[in-house]
Amino acid sequence: MKKREYQDLLECIVNSKEKQEGNFQKTAELATELLCQQLAVTYVGVCMLSCEDNQISATANYGPLLPVVYSRPAPFDCPDYIAELRNKCLIDINDVDSDPRVIEIADAYFKPKGIMSSLDVAIRINGHLEGILYLERTSIAPWSDSEIHIATHVADQLALTLATHNAYENDERLTLLLSADEESEQVSMLINLKSDLIEYVNQAHEWLSGMPKRQVIGHSFKQLDFIKQYPQQAKGILEQVSMGAVAKGESLVVRSDGRQYWLRYSVKQFITERGNHYALVKADDISDEKQYQAKLERLAWRCGLTGLYNRSYFNKELEHCKSGQLILIDLCGFKRFNDTYGHQNGDELLIEIARRLKHFANVNKTEHLARVGSDEFAIIIPTQNQVDMDYITARLYSQLTQPVHIGREQIQAKPALAIVDIESVEDSFVPLACADIALQYAKTKQGDKIQVFNNALLNTFKEDAQIERDLQTALRGREFELYYQPLKDLKTRTYIGAEALIRWHHPKKGVLYPGAFIDIAEQTGLINAIGTWVLEAACRQLNLWQHHQIDISMHVNVSARQFFSGNLFDQVWNLVSRYRLQPGSLILEITETELMEDIDYATNLCTELSELGVGLAIDDFGTGYSSMRYLKQFPISKLKIDRSFISDLTVSRESREIVSAIIAMASALNISLTAEGVETKEQEDFLSEHKCHQAQGFLYSPALRESEFSQFLFKSNHEMIH
C-alpha cells in the first residue's frame, strides 16, 4: 500500500463526521470497510471486550457474507490470548495452525471460519483493553510493516473515538445526574474535608434552609444552621466520618427567620481518584412525618378532651418511677353531675379540673400528669417530707374544691385524693392499684376526702381479696342462706311481711353478715350472681308460704348493678310465672341514690315491674338524693325510713320532725311506709301515733332462719295460718 493511500485512509477516518461526533459504531463500520477495501484481507472486524463480565460483542464486520456468523470466544475461554494481546498490544499470526499464541481460539474460531492468518490489534484507553481490531485472511501470508502500521493507527483512532464517545456519555450522564439532583427534594452537599469548604449543594438546600446557594458554595460548612445549633453533635459526626463510618441522625433545626424544620441526615466520606477527601451529605425534610408522628402520639398517648397524657402512657412512665409521691384524684358524683347537667357541661368541668392540675404540676415541677379514667386523674411529684406533703396535698384539695363557673351555674367539684409513696409499695403491688385501694377509703370519709395509703389498708385489701376468692367458692358450694326479718303492721298489730337477708356460712369465719362481703361483691361484679341466687331463693320460699296459706309479702334487696343489668325484668317475670306468686306479694327494695343513677331507665323498669304485679320499695329513704317530682314519677309502692332517723327518735327533735314529714308525704302520695331499726316501745308508740304503717327491728325480732321464722309467725300470727 502506498504511503499516500495510507494517509488518505487515516484522514478519511480522522475527518469523518462519525469520528467527530464520537459515534464509535459508525466509525468502526467506516474503518472496517476502508481497511477491507484497500488492504489484501478477507475480513476486517471490531469487537468489544469486557474481561470482568466475560463478555465479547461484535461492533462492526466487513467482508464476504457467511452463512454462519462466527463470534470470537469470550475472554474466559482464551485467557492466554487475552493476556498476550494486553501485554503486546498486537498479535500478527501468519499461520493459525502453527502459532501457539492463538491455540485457544484456533479450533473454535479460525478453522470453522476458514481463516489462515490474522492481525489482531488491541483497542486500548489509558492502558485498559477495551476491544480488538482484527484483519483476517483465508490464506497463509506474513503481515507487512505497512499493514501492521496502518492497523495500529486505525486502532488508535478507534480508541480515541471510543474515549470521545465515553466522554460524551459521561458528560451527558453527569449533566443528567446534576439536573436530576437539582430537581430533587433531597438535599445533597459536598464538603471538602481538607479545606472545610462546601463545594457543591443542590437547590433543595435553599428551599429547606432559606440560605441562597451563593452564600453556601465556597463557604465553610461551619456557618450552617445545624452546625451552629448542634456543635457537639456535629463534632461527633465529623469524627465518625473521618473513621470511615456513616453518620446518621435526626435533628430539629431553626432557620434564621425563626421557622423550624426536622432534618434526617446521612453523612459518609468518599475519596476521589486524585485522593481528595470529601463528605457527602444527604438530608431529607421530615417535618410532615414528625407532625404526623406527633399526631399519632397524641392520639395514642393523650386524652383528646383535656390534652393530658392518658392511662396507657402514665402506666408506662410509672413503671420507671422508683420514688416520688403518686396522687390519684377522683371526682365524686361526676356521673350524676353528667346526667343532671349534660355531657357538654361535664366535659367543661373535666377541662377546668385538668387546667388546675396542670398549674399544680408546673408549680411542683413535674410532667407526670394524666387523666387515667373518665373522672380520675393521676400525678407524680418528687419525694417530699411528711410536713411538706401534707401542705401540698391540702393545697391541691383546696384548689380542686374551688367553685367552677359553667355557664350561669357555679359548681363545686367534690374530689377524693389518694396518696401513695411509690418507694414504699411492695413489689407484688403496682402503685396505681394501691392508690385505687386508698381512693375507695377516701370516698367514704367525712370532711376532706384524703387518704394516704398504708399497710393497714393493704392488709384490709388482702383480706378483701381473700373474701372475693371465697365468695366464688361460696356460690358453687351453697354456703349462703336466707334469714327473714318480720315486718309488723302497726295498725292491726300483725306481721304482714318478711325481709330476706343473706347470711354466709363461711367454713372458717362462721356466719358472716352482708356488711362483711356485700361491698366486695359490688366492686368485683359478683353481686349479680349473688343477687340472682337471693331472688330465686326468696321467691321459692314465698311460694312455699303461699302454698301453706301464709299470707305475707317478701321483701328482697336489689343492688344497683342487678337493677341496671338489663335482664332483671326477664328474671323476675320467669320467677313470678314459675312460682305463681300472688300479685303484690313480691317487693323489690333499692336505695334512692341507686335509683337516681339513670332515671329514665329506672322509670321504665319500675313501670314494667309494677304491671307484672311486683312492688317497689325505696330503702334507706331520707339519706340519699330524691325529690317529690321523682317520687311521683316512679310507681313506688313503699318507702322505708332509714334506721338513722329512728334510732334517736325519742331524743332528737330534728329526727322527729323529719320522720313526721316523711309520714305526711307518704300519706299525701298514698304510699305505704315502713320504719326500719325499731328497737324500743317509745319509738313504736311515736310511729303508731303518727300513722306510720309498718315497722321492723329488734323490738320484734332479728332476722331468723326459715324454720325459726315459721315458728315465730305461728306464735305471733296463728290466725294467719289455716
Side-chain angles (χ1 to χ4, degrees):
M1 183 178 182
K2 295 180 181 180
K3 185 177 180 180
R4 182 61 189 173
E5 293 174 343
Y6 158 72
Q7 291 177 342
D8 289 343
L9 188 150
L10 281 179
E11 288 178 2
C12 185
I13 294 173
V14 171
N15 297 324
S16 67
K17 179 182 177 182
E18 291 83 353
K19 183 179 183 304
Q20 298 300 321
E21 292 177 348
N23 190 328
F24 180 74
Q25 173 78 36
K26 294 295 184 182
T27 304
E29 291 175 356
L30 175 62
T32 55
E33 181 180 354
L34 292 174
L35 286 172
C36 191
Q37 290 175 349
Q38 298 192 29
L39 297 180
V41 295
T42 309
Y43 302 106
V44 180
V46 175
C47 62
M48 303 306 295
L49 291 175
S50 175
C51 296
E52 293 80 4
D53 299 330
N54 192 34
Q55 297 290 328
I56 185 167
S57 59
T59 301
N61 288 285
Y62 199 86
L65 294 176
L66 296 173
V68 179
V69 177
Y70 293 95
S71 176
R72 292 206 165 205
F76 288 1
D77 296 329
C78 50
D80 294 338
Y81 165 79
I82 295 295
E84 180 74 14
L85 187 63
R86 182 182 289 116
N87 293 332
K88 301 295 179 60
C89 294
L90 69 86
I91 302 176
D92 54 334
I93 308 110
N94 297 330
D95 185 355
V96 297
D97 291 334
S98 60
D99 196 321
R101 295 175 298 178
V102 292
I103 192 172
E104 294 170 326
I105 63 176
D107 292 337
Y109 175 74
F110 288 132
K111 289 181 180 179
K113 195 176 179 182
I115 303 302
M116 299 304 295
S117 59
S118 178
L119 177 61
D120 295 358
V121 185
I123 301 174
R124 299 192 309 171
I125 300 177
N126 296 327
H128 188 269
L129 181 61
E130 300 287 347
I132 306 170
L133 169 65
Y134 54 86
L135 288 70
E136 299 172 343
R137 292 186 180 130
T138 54
S139 60
I140 298 174
W143 295 95
S144 66
D145 291 342
S146 61
E147 288 174 330
I148 293 174
H149 191 70
I150 192 172
T152 303
H153 277 278
V154 171
D156 289 341
Q157 291 302 316
L158 289 173
L160 288 173
T161 307
L162 182 60
T164 303
H165 172 77
N166 291 343
Y168 285 167
E169 280 196 343
N170 289 338
D171 287 345
E172 184 177 2
R173 190 177 296 113
L174 181 59
T175 301
L176 181 62
L177 288 174
L178 287 174
S179 298
D181 198 50
E182 286 297 321
E183 294 297 324
S184 173
E185 294 182 355
Q186 184 182 52
V187 174
S188 296
M189 182 180 294
L190 284 174
I191 302 173
N192 190 315
L193 293 177
K194 183 178 181 180
S195 65
D196 289 347
L197 298 180
I198 300 170
E199 295 191 5
Y200 170 76
V201 67
N202 65 350
Q203 185 62 37
H205 181 266
E206 182 175 339
W207 295 336
L208 184 60
S209 68
M211 297 179 66
K213 293 174 68 172
R214 66 178 182 278
Q215 296 179 11
V216 178
I217 296 177
H219 295 78
S220 173
F221 73 90
K222 295 178 182 178
Q223 67 163 340
L224 298 175
D225 291 333
F226 172 82
I227 306 299
K228 293 178 181 178
Q229 294 166 30
Y230 301 98
Q232 293 301 318
Q233 189 174 337
K235 181 180 177 182
I237 291 172
L238 285 176
E239 290 175 353
Q240 284 183 268
V241 171
S242 64
M243 296 173 62
V246 178
K248 296 181 178 181
E250 296 177 358
S251 294
L252 178 64
V253 181
V254 182
R255 293 171 28 148
S256 58
D257 60 6
R259 291 174 57 190
Q260 297 180 344
Y261 61 90
W262 274 94
L263 201 66
R264 177 182 290 137
Y265 59 83
S266 171
V267 187
K268 64 181 295 186
Q269 180 186 194
F270 76 92
I271 305 173
T272 66
E273 293 180 354
R274 295 183 179 182
N276 295 320
H277 292 247
Y278 284 85
L280 172 62
V281 180
K282 291 287 186 179
D284 292 289
D285 180 7
I286 57 169
S287 302
D288 291 343
E289 180 182 328
K290 284 293 184 179
Q291 289 177 3
Y292 182 67
Q293 183 180 342
K295 181 179 179 181
L296 290 180
E297 182 178 331
R298 286 194 298 272
L299 293 174
W301 300 122
R302 295 277 183 176
C303 162
L305 177 66
T306 64
L308 301 180
Y309 288 116
N310 59 21
R311 189 183 187 94
S312 298
Y313 181 87
F314 190 79
N315 281 335
K316 182 170 66 71
E317 292 297 305
L318 189 58
E319 289 178 1
H320 300 97
C321 286
K322 303 303 180 184
S323 63
Q325 306 287 337
L326 168 64
I327 304 177
L328 185 63
I329 304 107
D330 179 88
L331 300 181
C332 301
F334 177 74
K335 184 181 185 304
R336 185 184 305 154
F337 175 86
N338 234 6
D339 293 340
T340 304
Y341 292 95
H343 291 282
Q344 183 175 352
N345 288 331
D347 288 348
E348 289 188 27
L349 176 61
L350 292 174
I351 291 170
E352 173 58 23
I353 294 298
R355 187 194 65 79
R356 296 180 184 184
L357 288 173
K358 287 177 187 176
H359 175 73
F360 176 80
N362 290 334
V363 170
N364 289 277
K365 298 179 174 58
T366 180
E367 295 181 355
H368 298 305
L369 170 64
R371 181 187 178 195
V372 295
S374 62
D375 57 352
E376 286 188 349
F377 301 85
I379 189 170
I380 302 172
I381 62 174
T383 302
Q384 309 285 335
N385 61 51
Q386 191 59 52
V387 174
D388 289 342
M389 192 62 203
D390 290 344
Y391 172 77
I392 290 171
T393 305
R395 186 170 179 81
L396 174 61
Y397 190 85
S398 175
Q399 290 173 356
L400 295 178
T401 53
Q402 292 298 313
V404 178
H405 294 278
I406 299 177
R408 297 181 179 179
E409 298 285 342
Q410 181 172 289
I411 307 300
Q412 185 170 20
K414 299 176 181 178
L417 273 60
I419 301 95
V420 177
D421 181 8
I422 296 175
E423 192 174 3
S424 66
V425 173
E426 292 185 8
D427 292 338
S428 57
F429 290 85
V430 295
L432 202 55
C434 296
D436 280 327
I437 295 170
L439 194 61
Q440 299 307 314
Y441 287 90
K443 291 179 180 179
T444 62
K445 280 191 168 185
Q446 300 296 323
D448 290 353
K449 297 182 181 299
I450 303 173
Q451 177 66 54
V452 178
F453 182 79
N454 53 43
N455 287 330
L457 294 183
L458 182 59
N459 292 333
T460 302
F461 172 77
K462 291 178 179 178
E463 293 175 4
D464 291 348
Q466 183 60 50
I467 288 178
E468 179 186 348
R469 291 190 291 270
D470 292 347
L471 276 174
Q472 295 172 341
T473 303
L475 282 167
R476 297 191 298 268
R478 298 182 179 181
E479 296 175 5
F480 294 120
E481 181 183 5
L482 286 187
Y483 280 47
Y484 305 94
Q485 186 175 36
L487 276 73
K488 185 175 185 178
D489 187 296
L490 295 178
K491 183 177 181 180
T492 63
R493 315 299 297 175
T494 59
Y495 293 98
I496 48 81
E499 181 177 358
L501 300 170
I502 190 171
R503 299 291 184 265
W504 179 9
H505 295 283
H506 195 282
K508 294 181 180 179
K509 299 182 179 181
V511 178
L512 296 182
Y513 286 72
F517 60 88
I518 286 298
D519 286 345
I520 299 170
E522 284 272 10
Q523 295 168 14
T524 59
L526 291 171
I527 192 67
N528 282 342
I530 293 174
T532 298
W533 180 87
V534 169
L535 192 56
E536 168 85 25
C539 289
R540 186 188 311 113
Q541 183 59 52
L542 181 59
N543 170 261
L544 290 174
W545 285 338
Q546 291 179 357
H547 182 71
H548 290 91
Q549 306 301 313
I550 300 176
D551 185 18
I552 61 173
S553 61
M554 178 71 80
H555 290 241
V556 182
N557 289 287
V558 176
S559 70
R561 277 180 178 263
Q562 190 178 5
F563 188 84
F564 292 105
S565 64
N567 61 1
L568 180 63
F569 176 81
D570 292 337
Q571 185 182 359
V572 172
W573 185 86
N574 288 331
L575 292 172
V576 169
S577 301
R578 186 196 317 164
Y579 292 111
R580 299 181 180 179
L581 302 180
Q582 296 176 9
S585 61
L586 176 63
I587 299 174
L588 304 182
E589 297 185 7
I590 186 169
T591 66
E592 54 184 326
T593 301
E594 293 169 342
L595 202 62
M596 297 300 139
E597 288 188 9
D598 189 334
I599 295 172
D600 291 338
Y601 178 88
T603 302
N604 293 332
L605 179 58
C606 291
T607 301
E608 291 175 345
L609 291 172
S610 177
E611 292 172 351
L612 197 61
V614 175
L616 180 70
I618 295 183
D619 198 14
D620 301 337
F621 185 76
T623 61
Y625 174 84
S626 62
S627 70
M628 287 289 289
R629 178 166 66 89
Y630 292 131
L631 289 178
K632 289 172 62 179
Q633 182 174 327
F634 292 120
I636 299 166
S637 57
K638 178 176 289 189
L639 297 179
K640 299 190 75 174
I641 306 174
D642 186 71
R643 64 183 64 250
S644 62
F645 299 116
I646 305 301
S647 62
D648 59 354
L649 195 59
T650 57
V651 296
S652 170
R653 181 179 60 84
E654 290 82 2
S655 292
R656 288 195 295 272
E657 290 179 353
I658 290 173
V659 171
S660 298
I662 293 174
I663 294 173
M665 180 186 66
S667 177
L669 295 174
N670 195 27
I671 297 176
S672 177
L673 198 62
T674 298
E676 296 181 292
V678 178
E679 297 181 358
T680 66
K681 191 68 172 62
E682 290 80 9
Q683 294 168 352
E684 183 189 55
D685 290 343
F686 179 88
L687 294 168
S688 296
E689 180 182 345
H690 287 79
K691 303 290 191 291
C692 181
H693 304 116
Q694 301 151 17
Q696 69 181 93
F698 285 169
L699 177 62
Y700 312 112
S701 173
L704 303 170
R705 304 181 79 166
E706 188 278 324
S707 58
E708 296 170 345
F709 183 82
S710 297
Q711 293 176 10
F712 174 84
L713 280 184
F714 184 79
K715 292 178 181 179
S716 304
N717 284 3
H718 59 85
E719 69 277 6
M720 292 176 59
I721 306 175
H722 304 287

